[in-house]
Amino acid sequence: MRIDIITVLPELLKSPFEASILKRAIEKGLVEVHMHNLRDYTDKSYNQVDDYQFGGGAGMVLMIEPIDKCISALKAERDYDEIIYMTPDGETLNQKTANTLSLVENIIILCGHYKGVDQRVRDAFITKEISIGDYVLSGGELAAAIVCDSVIRLIPGVLSNETSALTDTFQDNLLAPPVYTRPSEYKGLKVPEVLLSGNFPKIEEWRENEAYNRTKRLRPDLLKDQ
C-alpha cells in the first residue's frame, strides 16, 4: 500500500511514522507513506497557499490551484483508489471504513487547514471525506495520522499476530471482551476461572458472551443492526 499525504505542516506528521507499528510496517516494505508539502506547489509570494473567502467572513481558505497541481502530479505517476479529505463534516471513521481502506493499493489523504479548502476541490477531486469525530482540530494532520494507524495495522504482516486485529473492538460490531494476564490473583482480585481452565471452547464461549454483554451495556447502538 502507498499513502500520499498532502499537508501544509508535514513536520507535524513525522513522529507517528517514526515509531512502533507504523515504523515497522514501513521498514518491512508493507506500506509507503509520503508527505507532500502543499507550499511546494504554489507560485505565489511567500509560498502562499491560502486566501480570504469570497463573500467575507472569518478564517482563511486553502486555494484550489496548489491542491490541483499536487494531486495532478501524483495521479500522473499512478492510479489512486481513493482521494480522501479529512474534514469534521465527513463520514465518521469506523472499523468498517478502516477494513475497506486496508484492502486498497494507493490512497491520497488531503489535510484540511484554516477554514478548510475551496469547495471546488471537494467537488472535483475528492472521492471520500472522513471525520474522526464531532469536534474541530487546527488541521487535518493528526486526523490523517489516526486514519493511517487504523488502516496500516490491518495490512497482513504488520502485526506479529495477524489474528489479533480480527478480535479488536468494533470488529463484528462488538466491543472486545475483558482481557487478563499474570498473576492469576493480585490483592484478592482473581482472573475468571474459565480462562485458567484450558477448555478453549468454553473460553471462546465466555469471550463471546462477555463481548456481547459489554457491548449491550456500554454501546447498545452497535447492536441495532444485529
Side-chain angles (χ1 to χ4, degrees):
M1 170 183 280
R2 176 184 171 112
I3 302 174
D4 289 281
I5 305 176
I6 303 173
T7 170
V8 295
L9 290 172
E11 61 274 15
L12 187 60
L13 271 165
K14 290 180 180 178
S15 62
F17 300 97
E18 294 176 347
S20 190
I21 290 171
L22 300 186
K23 179 182 179 181
R24 292 201 300 272
I26 292 170
E27 290 177 343
K28 286 181 178 180
L30 299 173
V31 64
E32 294 180 41
V33 180
H34 301 271
M35 317 291 178
H36 304 275
N37 192 332
L38 193 58
R39 298 187 189 281
D40 294 336
Y41 294 87
T42 181
D43 54 10
K44 303 290 185 182
S45 301
Y46 307 107
N47 295 324
Q48 179 186 356
V49 294
D50 62 316
D51 210 335
Y52 297 102
Q53 28 181 337
F54 282 126
M60 305 294 280
V61 178
L62 289 176
M63 297 184 291
I64 187 172
E65 185 177 10
I67 296 174
D68 178 18
K69 287 181 177 178
C70 185
I71 291 177
S72 296
L74 292 171
K75 290 177 69 175
E77 296 179 358
R78 67 193 57 82
D79 294 326
Y80 285 90
D81 301 281
E82 296 282 6
I83 301 178
I84 298 168
Y85 175 49
M86 302 306 307
T87 173
D89 58 4
E91 171 191 335
T92 302
L93 177 66
N94 58 29
Q95 194 62 43
K96 181 179 179 181
T97 300
N99 289 342
T100 300
L101 290 176
S102 72
L103 301 175
V104 305
E105 289 188 19
N106 303 311
I107 61 175
I108 293 173
I109 301 179
L110 171 62
C111 300
H113 214 68
Y114 311 118
K115 201 66 176 178
V117 301
D118 187 307
Q119 180 62 37
R120 291 169 292 183
V121 171
R122 301 171 76 165
D123 295 340
F125 306 118
I126 302 304
T127 63
K128 193 174 195 63
E129 299 187 345
I130 294 179
S131 165
I132 61 166
D134 294 340
Y135 48 88
V136 177
L137 301 175
S138 300
E141 285 77 15
L142 298 180
I146 288 172
V147 170
C148 290
D149 189 297
S150 70
V151 170
I152 290 172
R153 66 188 307 279
L154 296 172
I155 298 172
V158 170
L159 298 181
S160 55
N161 184 345
E162 293 184 13
T163 62
S164 176
L166 299 178
T167 57
D168 283 340
T169 287
F170 302 124
Q171 295 286 10
D172 299 323
N173 274 1
L174 293 175
L175 302 183
V179 292
Y180 300 86
T181 189
R182 293 181 178 84
S184 60
E185 182 176 350
Y186 181 73
K187 294 184 178 180
L189 301 171
K190 297 181 179 180
V191 172
E193 287 294 330
V194 65
L195 298 180
L196 309 175
S197 67
N199 187 330
F200 294 106
K202 283 288 186 182
I203 291 173
E204 192 59 32
E205 180 183 1
W206 178 88
R207 285 175 172 160
E208 290 175 1
N209 289 336
E210 287 293 319
Y212 179 83
N213 291 332
R214 185 180 240 187
T215 305
K216 186 177 181 180
R217 185 176 75 254
L218 300 176
R219 289 292 305 274
D221 56 296
L222 295 174
L223 300 174
K224 290 179 180 179
D225 296 330
Q226 295 193 11

